[in-house]
Amino acid sequence: MTTPLLTLTDRGLHCPDGDFTIDPWRKVDRAIITHGHGDHARNGMGHYWTAAPGVPILRKRLGQYSPVEGVPYGERRAFGPVTISFHPAGHILGSAQVRVQRGDEVWVVTGDFKREPDPTCAPFEPVLCDVLVTEATFAYPIYQWPHPDTVMEEIYAWWQRCAAEDRPAVLYTYALGKAQRILAGLNAFSREPVWLHGAIDGLTRLYRDAGVTMIPTVPVSEMPRSDRGAGRLILAPPSAAGSKWAKRFRGASTGFASGWMQVRGTRRRKGYDEGFVLSDHADWPGLLRTVEDSGAKRVLATHGHTDALLAHLQGLGIEAQALATPYGDTEDG
Amino acid sequence: MNAFAALLTALERARSTGRKLELLTAYFKGAPAGDAAWALHLLTGRRPQRIASGPELRRWLGEATGLSEAVLEATYAHVGDLAETLALVLPPPPADITAPETSLQALLEETLAPLRGAGAETRKRALLALWRAYPQAPRLWLNKLITGGLRVGVGEGLTLRALGQAFGLDPAVLQHRWMIPQPPSAAAFEALVNPDNATLHWAAPYPFCLAQPLRDGALPPHPSTAVLAEWKWDGVRCQLVRREGNTALWSRGRERLEDRFPELAAAAEGLPEGTVLDGELLAWAEDGPGPFVELSRRLQRKRVTAALQRAVPVRFMAYDLLELNGEDLRPQPLAQRRQCLEALLTPSPAPALTFSPRLDNTSWESLTALRADARSQAVEGLMLKHEGSAYESGRRHQSWWKWKLDPETVDAVLLYAQPGHGRRANLYTDFTFAVWDRGALVPLAKAYSGLDEATLERLDHWIRRNTKERFGPVRSVTPTLVFELAFDSAHAAPRRKAGMALRFPRIHRWREDLTIEDADELETLKARLLPHG
């Protein structure tokens, strides 16, 4: 009996034979990073490998001179007897699944992923494997995403409604990935600039540098103080809701773009005027399709909401278990 | 159905009362009378009988989607609302299909009503067809009609205000007409909102005048001697109507009760033609009020037996005289109405019909002392009414106050949690609490309200991480957390595990300073709260 290729330790998903850890949450020497969100890419590791398009994001998060090495999608790297490669996950710019191979045994760690089209990043690429370690953020059959184009239309229509009423439209959205996806989507509707909170502005510049086409944007800090944002669309991270920063936009209609907006209890409790169902995570059909595409005989699910998915996969005769990780603690989506 | 569904969706998203009023008014203006009648019926809290049980719906959903029971159970637990789970799990209808144009009335009367009591196969086929036809948003409300669980957070007062606005009716007139419940129909609706309709049913009671609670040691802004003080009796608020040789007894919930209380109907025969009394219906033991549970025994029986009448005597304790000899006395000052009332019921026409005595109002000190003694009188506290006050409808005036007893409290352990409804559908907000009984925790009370949103979120997080077992949407948690519950009174309840039950339990505070060993003992609670048992 050989050691398992990957095993969950108190630091992350560790590969004993290759001596590296995927998305570690405590200090390790060698870290393989699926993508740049805070619950997956943390400070203090000895060395980082990530998919090449994700390097600028990682450097922005971890510091300009942090030891980050980019690996092009599909290129193989050897770690002792173990070979790894990064494959597009379609979650955000530079996001990757990690394929881990030892002999003829293949594991794939999806990281966060989605199957819907997203003009800001490379589309998800199915990878065959024996064991699939999948995220399970929205792993209930109630989560079936509407087509993103429909959601973009809804966001634009809301912005125009607010403009007609001479009110600001403040859209709260995760600063990395979701915000840029919305900006790219809105490009089809308007050339009028969208205002950005500082936390979103910097990341949006990285996306522009990477060649992603988006609607014109201006940082809120560059707008005259007298302008109260009437008729404007303003993007801000959820942490800015109710802050001093947000007070400037008096009489604003507020919106929130997240997969969690699918459930009306959450929608009403969060207290935003509008909820847009837009997620960078896989929905239920997306998760099932990905398991099927992978051909995996064994599935390990992370991110906590795993009970329905495990029951369903077991019903299909697939060996399925939960892995307790701290991913998804920020409840972004 | 589509317009009504759109109204419900918009109401749920509306943030201000003004906006809700606007939406309701626009709906009533535009809806056909048959639809408006049903909408009014549903918006004021009456629910259609359910067509299918929860387990049936889950089974049919499983057949329609191919999802296993385990998956659907977990999903239901995540969403916390079956109607919403059904609406979201079923695939959306193809984009090019629009919802059927069926009216709300036709849907309820022609499609859904015949399904009640129909065979399982018939109901299943009909519901699957409905689910396929409607998009997700109306499907949710459709499911609420099917499960009988429709709740809309607008309330009767707001709905009637909107209706009055839509048809240019005086709110007082509308409220008065509204007191007679009618089965929903186009004709009844048109009569209700017709500005020229002057006829009123002989039995129509008046809209009730309600009191404001007195809080935080505040007193009414009057000298005590300008205030009529009475006990706040713990029964059912009623109006006794004597007109055209007939008697009607109405509860505040617009329910006719005279058949259940023939002794009151008989006593009312001694009243002059054209009399309306406002008062409290009470169970009456020997020389004082009996516990509320006794009265419940009478309320539950539509037809009363002589044995039950003897076992649970009742009394109508009149507070006020609203009509005498056919004259509406409501605009007159309370002092004057009260004088007429006392004259009318002295001597009382029957032991079951008396007026609520005045209490000594010489000073606020004497009233404070009386309130402190309220529990020993088996009443809920004091009622205070300004002597000059007219009998107004609703609670929006400032001349009547209820001065309730400080509540009893108990420290109890959180044992089970269940998601709430509506805004709280996927948040654990409905709790079962337990106390110690010979070393074991026994469930004592369920409580829903009393915690703020932030605390609920924190508690929800804790519950999800400390779940022991799941039973459908209910989770049992590791006994750890202690809460102080407030309640109005307790009574013996032999069928409950604890042998007692609390009235109006609510959460006072989260006792984070206590551990489960500090929670109360059932024995001491019983000794304190159930003097006879």
Side-chain angles (χ1 to χ4, degrees), chain A:
Chain A
M1 177 88 189
T2 51
T3 52
L5 194 43
L6 293 170
T7 162
L8 192 67
T9 69
D10 59 350
R11 284 157 203 272
L13 205 50
H14 181 64
C15 176
D17 282 2
D19 190 23
F20 59 80
T21 309
I22 299 173
D23 291 352
W25 53 84
R26 286 168 62 188
K27 204 166 155 42
V28 298
D29 275 345
R30 308 206 285 182
I32 309 294
I33 304 297
T34 60
H35 68 285
H37 278 145
D39 50 340
H40 293 262
R42 296 179 197 244
N43 264 305
M45 311 301 158
H47 197 92
Y48 297 85
W49 286 266
T50 198
V55 172
I57 292 169
L58 224 54
R59 285 200 193 281
K60 181 160 176 71
R61 183 174 290 286
L62 305 171
Q64 202 50 52
Y65 302 103
S66 50
V68 176
E69 190 178 335
V71 183
Y73 283 131
E75 187 177 301
R76 299 200 170 184
R77 287 291 173 97
F79 285 77
V82 176
T83 310
I84 72 154
S85 52
F86 293 94
H87 303 266
H91 176 58
I92 61 168
L93 180 62
S95 66
Q97 311 168 70
V98 181
R99 182 182 183 277
V100 183
Q101 182 172 16
R102 177 182 62 188
D104 53 12
E105 183 184 5
V106 176
W107 290 43
V108 166
V109 179
T110 64
D112 294 349
F113 74 96
K114 70 170 173 289
R115 304 297 299 259
E116 280 69 33
D118 178 348
T120 68
C121 60
F124 181 92
E125 174 193 305
V127 184
L128 288 171
C129 59
D130 303 299
V131 180
L132 182 72
V133 181
T134 181
E135 68 136 316
T137 309
F138 291 102
Y140 293 105
I142 56 158
Y143 295 109
Q144 303 176 41
W145 305 143
H147 195 281
D149 289 353
T150 318
V151 184
M152 296 303 167
E153 273 170 38
E154 283 172 18
I155 294 175
Y156 181 70
W158 166 64
W159 176 13
Q160 295 313 298
R161 267 202 315 279
C162 292
E165 293 168 11
D166 224 18
R167 304 166 72 186
V170 180
L171 180 58
Y172 293 100
T173 162
Y174 208 56
L176 171 58
K178 186 83 59 70
Q180 293 75 29
R181 186 178 176 201
I182 291 167
L183 294 169
L186 289 176
N187 196 44
F189 295 92
S190 172
R191 305 303 302 153
E192 196 178 325
V194 172
W195 292 17
L196 301 183
H197 182 279
I200 294 180
D201 180 59
L203 290 161
T204 303
R205 282 167 205 269
L206 293 184
Y207 270 64
R208 288 201 194 279
D209 293 345
V212 176
T213 311
M214 290 174 281
I215 192 167
T217 54
V218 203
V220 166
S221 57
E222 287 176 19
M223 304 306 291
R225 281 306 298 172
S226 58
D227 195 326
R228 296 288 183 169
R232 312 278 189 198
L233 175 65
I234 299 121
L235 259 55
S239 56
S243 71
K244 203 169 151 240
W245 179 90
K247 288 210 168 52
R248 170 171 176 183
F249 306 109
R250 269 203 296 262
S253 172
T254 58
F256 188 47
S258 162
W260 300 114
M261 295 294 101
Q262 178 83 334
V263 179
R264 80 195 220 286
T266 319
R267 204 162 57 222
R268 298 180 66 191
R269 204 164 60 244
K270 294 281 181 194
Y272 300 100
D273 297 320
E274 305 283 333
F276 301 103
V277 181
L278 186 70
S279 177
D280 287 329
H281 292 271
D283 61 0
W284 174 262
L287 289 166
L288 298 187
R289 186 175 147 206
T290 301
V291 170
E292 196 186 339
D293 288 349
S294 76
K297 296 283 169 293
R298 191 171 161 223
V299 173
L300 302 170
T302 65
H303 286 67
H305 303 253
T306 54
D307 49 356
L309 183 65
L310 299 183
H312 188 78
L313 295 178
Q314 283 155 7
L316 297 175
I318 294 170
E319 190 190 339
Q321 289 149 326
L323 274 187
T325 61
Y327 306 139
D329 261 2
T330 54
E331 293 277 304
D332 70 286

Side-chain angles (χ1 to χ4, degrees), chain B residues 276-399:
Chain B
V276 179
L277 297 170
D278 176 11
E280 194 92 7
L281 178 59
L282 295 165
W284 199 263
E286 300 286 308
D287 50 356
F292 187 85
V293 279
E294 289 289 296
L295 184 62
S296 308
R297 284 174 61 195
R298 293 283 307 258
L299 287 165
Q300 283 155 11
R301 296 282 180 81
K302 291 252 174 185
R303 295 276 167 202
V304 66
T305 61
L308 186 60
Q309 271 191 68
R310 276 195 304 278
V312 186
V314 296
R315 181 168 281 207
F316 185 87
M317 193 68 95
Y319 294 129
D320 213 325
L321 180 61
L322 311 186
E323 183 179 311
L324 185 62
N325 302 318
E327 189 195 345
D328 182 357
L329 300 185
R330 293 178 301 156
Q332 299 193 10
L334 171 64
Q336 210 166 322
R337 296 199 306 272
R338 181 72 195 194
Q339 241 173 15
C340 299
L341 173 73
E342 291 179 9
L344 179 70
L345 298 184
T346 313
S348 79
L353 185 52
T354 55
F355 61 85
S356 172
R358 295 167 188 251
L359 299 175
D360 173 14
N361 64 348
T362 336
S363 67
W364 285 119
E365 285 72 31
S366 61
L367 287 172
T368 308
L370 280 168
R371 172 174 172 260
D373 192 37
R375 194 155 270 137
S376 71
Q377 301 288 326
V379 295
E380 289 185 300
L382 263 55
M383 286 298 299
L384 305 170
K385 300 169 184 172
H386 187 244
E387 297 258 10
S389 60
Y391 191 93
E392 293 179 69
S393 65
R395 206 187 297 272
R396 299 172 81 199
H397 58 91
Q398 279 291 345
S399 45

Side-chain angles (χ1 to χ4, degrees), chain B residues 397-442:
Chain B
H397 58 91
Q398 279 291 345
S399 45
W400 287 24
W401 299 270
K402 45 185 175 188
W403 198 16
K404 289 179 88 165
L405 282 163
D406 292 329
E408 300 273 4
T409 62
V410 57
D411 293 325
V413 179
L414 176 65
L415 215 54
Y416 301 103
Q418 191 172 354
H421 294 272
R423 193 156 58 92
R424 293 168 163 182
N426 61 345
L427 193 65
Y428 285 90
T429 58
D430 299 2
F431 307 117
T432 303
F433 296 97
V435 289
W436 292 107
D437 182 22
R438 283 156 295 182
L441 285 166
V442 293

Side-chain angles (χ1 to χ4, degrees), chain B residues 375 380 404-410 431 433 445-451 483-489 502-509:
Chain B
R375 194 155 270 137
E380 289 185 300
K404 289 179 88 165
L405 282 163
D406 292 329
E408 300 273 4
T409 62
V410 57
F431 307 117
F433 296 97
K446 282 188 173 193
Y448 315 91
S449 62
L451 295 173
F483 290 80
E484 182 181 304
L485 307 183
F487 55 96
D488 286 4
S489 60
L502 310 183
R503 265 195 97 193
F504 300 129
R506 61 261 179 198
I507 304 168
H508 233 196
R509 55 196 170 120

